[in-house]
Amino acid sequence: MGLFDRLRGDDDPRLVFLGIDGVPYDLVEEHPDVFDNLHRIADAGAGGRISSIVPPESSACWPSLTTGVNPGKTGVYGFQDREIGSDETYVPMGKHVRATRVWDRVTADGGDATVLNVPVTFPPQGDVQRMVSGFLSPSLESAASDPSVQSVLEEHDYRIDVDAKLGHDEDKSAFLENAHDTLDARYDVFDHYLSADDWDLFFGVFMTTDRVNHFLFGDYANDTDDADAFLEFYRALDDYIGRIYDSLPDDVSLVIASDHGFTELVHEVNCNEWLARNGYLGYDTDDPDELADISADTEVFSFIPGRFFVNLEGREPDGAVPEAEYEAVRDRLIDDLESMTGPDGSSVCAQIHRGEDVFDGPAADIAPDVVVVPEDSFDLKSGFGRKDAVFGQGPRNGMHKFSNACLFTDDDRIAIDDVDLFDLTPTLLEMLEVDADDAAFDGRSLLRS
């Protein structure tokens, strides 16, 4: 027992949350030999499959997971969001998250939080005990909430993210070495601050898992020569999780979750090219080798992941669709998306939602008019400019999946039944006995009454 425990009292609940970005429940379930510790944790408490959010994209998922509300309230829909009444777009950062994070509720209640490597947290907050912001942080100095944290990061050769460019090489050896080095350093810093014993909530995310999945999940799915290396990476992750679990005092609860699942990627779908070929979007040139601007008669355009916007008069700066025709254009778009098929004739779209059916809140003004969750193997892309084909292939062979994220805990009070990301923040707060009755969560606590 540390000095902090003696001062604060043994009865105050404490909690460790570990994020394992993009880890699918199926992978863990099918390989108990690789994930011995996750299975051990589930045996002590609970483990199971949970749903992600719409859209299942990390930049949208983590703000929702850490606030308990949908993108219409967080204000973050993907890796690229748009300004109202403008053609300008931006990459969402921590300052763009409009809803209250779980650690802010803990600190407002008088607790302390250590927050490490959570996506969409740059720049790090100065009003949290310590924070290291996640990917897109430009440097260790800028990712650390104060110089003492920066010193710890440098001491452990901490890396903000994997060098994803290495994943583009046919030989994945350098990429895997970099991924292991990143994972090792992440664990070392987690272990350092877990041992500090001065937090009520420890919230840390392993994001290297998402990177490895993007470039090697197809190898795992097809049992190629790199499949063993893929599983060895996960064996290392599970070992670190086991070490953390075994180091925790008996009064600390552990919750582990992914923000979305994963599956094999076979076809990249150029959504704006599909729109162009179906008469929704026009370019000022048909030459794929030339830069192209959208023409004035464009009805619909798309952003990743699977977000479609009607080019509405009065809302878009160059709107071409009169308000009286909005619903007709949207209905026609949905009909065409429902009949969209891949090269083998299979359906591309698994879920098609009108924006107002899945998004509500003050940030709904930047919500898409239609959002699509694809079937397995079809990854929806939205680059602008003419493409040679609607369907193509890139360096990645793994893609996000809505329906097979995972949740594991050693707390046997938690029931995993019909769970999604919105349920995690209210659950963590009830576990910590933080009063959040005034919060309008889109989820509910999973603790059994």
Side-chain angles (χ1 to χ4, degrees), residues 288-365:
D289 296 324
E290 293 183 10
L291 292 176
D293 292 323
I294 295 177
S295 64
D297 59 350
T298 289
E299 290 184 307
V300 180
F301 59 91
S302 177
F303 283 172
I304 61 170
R307 291 176 287 163
F308 294 84
F309 299 86
V310 175
N311 191 24
L312 184 64
E313 281 184 358
R315 185 183 70 181
E316 310 300 337
D318 298 308
V321 177
E323 186 172 353
E325 299 176 15
Y326 170 80
E327 289 297 349
V329 170
R330 188 163 67 156
D331 288 345
R332 174 161 49 91
L333 172 66
I334 291 172
D335 287 344
D336 287 342
L337 287 168
E338 287 176 342
S339 62
M340 185 182 185
T341 57
D344 63 353
S346 61
S347 294
V348 170
C349 304
Q351 301 176 33
I352 303 173
H353 301 279
R354 287 174 167 81
E356 66 271 18
D357 292 339
V358 286
F359 308 120
D360 70 274
D365 54 355

Side-chain angles (χ1 to χ4, degrees), residues 170-226:
E170 184 175 351
D171 183 350
K172 297 297 190 291
S173 299
F175 170 73
L176 280 163
E177 181 179 357
N178 184 263
H180 275 280
D181 290 344
T182 304
L183 176 67
D184 295 345
R186 190 86 72 236
Y187 166 75
D188 288 343
V189 170
F190 283 11
D191 181 59
H192 174 87
Y193 283 123
L194 282 163
S195 301
D197 196 31
D198 59 352
W199 39 261
D200 297 276
L201 170 65
F202 180 98
F203 200 110
V205 175
F206 291 103
M207 195 177 182
T208 313
T209 47
D210 178 270
R211 304 303 192 224
V212 169
N213 285 354
H214 272 306
F215 294 106
L216 287 164
F217 201 89
D219 296 276
Y220 158 73
N222 293 287
D223 198 22
T224 72
D225 291 342
D226 284 325

Side-chain angles (χ1 to χ4, degrees), residues 45-338:
R49 181 192 313 274
I50 67 174
S51 296
S52 184
I53 66 164
V54 177
E57 188 74 86
S58 293
S59 278
C61 290
W62 285 106
S64 284
L65 186 154
T66 56
T67 63
V69 297
N70 75 91
K73 295 171 184 170
T74 67
V76 181
Y77 290 85
F79 285 114
Q80 179 188 34
D81 279 325
R82 65 195 191 106
E83 303 281 2
I84 289 297
S86 169
D87 290 329
E88 298 299 317
T89 63
Y90 58 89
V91 176
M93 300 289 182
K95 66 181 181 181
H96 295 107
V97 179
R98 306 188 195 182
T100 305
R101 303 278 198 145
V102 59
W103 49 82
D104 291 321
R105 295 190 183 276
V106 170
T107 56
D109 194 59
D112 287 311
T114 293
V115 182
L116 305 177
N117 197 50
V118 181
V120 199
T121 52
F122 178 80
Q125 296 175 225
D127 56 353
V128 174
Q129 177 179 233
R130 66 176 66 91
M131 179 181 283
V132 178
S133 54
F135 84 113
L136 299 181
S137 302
S139 66
L140 289 186
E141 180 181 7
S142 62
S145 57
D146 61 67
S148 65
V149 172
Q150 179 186 347
S151 178
V152 170
L153 300 183
E154 292 171 347
E155 176 185 346
H156 292 283
D157 194 24
Y158 186 88
R159 296 147 189 242
I160 293 169
D161 200 358
V162 179
D163 184 352
K165 292 180 180 178
L166 296 174
H168 293 219
D169 298 337
E170 184 175 351
D171 183 350
K172 297 297 190 291
S173 299
F175 170 73
L176 280 163
E177 181 179 357
N178 184 263
H180 275 280
D181 290 344
T182 304
L183 176 67
D184 295 345
R186 190 86 72 236
Y187 166 75
D188 288 343
V189 170
F190 283 11
D191 181 59
H192 174 87
Y193 283 123
L194 282 163
S195 301
D197 196 31
D198 59 352
W199 39 261
D200 297 276
L201 170 65
F202 180 98
F203 200 110
V205 175
F206 291 103
M207 195 177 182
T208 313
T209 47
D210 178 270
R211 304 303 192 224
V212 169
N213 285 354
H214 272 306
F215 294 106
L216 287 164
F217 201 89
D219 296 276
Y220 158 73
N222 293 287
D223 198 22
T224 72
D225 291 342
D226 284 325
D228 287 343
F230 174 87
L231 291 175
E232 280 305 309
F233 170 82
Y234 271 109
R235 202 180 303 275
L237 172 73
D238 185 76
D239 178 64
Y240 284 145
I241 290 173
R243 293 190 204 180
I244 290 172
Y245 180 45
D246 290 336
S247 73
L248 297 180
D250 290 341
D251 67 327
V252 176
S253 296
L254 176 62
V255 177
I256 303 166
S258 61
D259 58 326
H260 54 75
F262 243 88
T263 190
E264 181 184 7
L265 187 165
V266 180
H267 304 287
E268 291 186 347
V269 185
N270 298 310
C271 293
N272 283 321
E273 182 63 26
W274 178 83
L275 288 170
R277 296 185 183 208
N278 284 272
Y280 290 98
L281 186 152
Y283 289 110
D284 59 6
T285 177
D286 289 329
D287 190 342
D289 296 324
E290 293 183 10
L291 292 176
D293 292 323
I294 295 177
S295 64
D297 59 350
T298 289
E299 290 184 307
V300 180
F301 59 91
S302 177
F303 283 172
I304 61 170
R307 291 176 287 163
F308 294 84
F309 299 86
V310 175
N311 191 24
L312 184 64
E313 281 184 358
R315 185 183 70 181
E316 310 300 337
D318 298 308
V321 177
E323 186 172 353
E325 299 176 15
Y326 170 80
E327 289 297 349
V329 170
R330 188 163 67 156
D331 288 345
R332 174 161 49 91
L333 172 66
I334 291 172
D335 287 344
D336 287 342
L337 287 168
E338 287 176 342

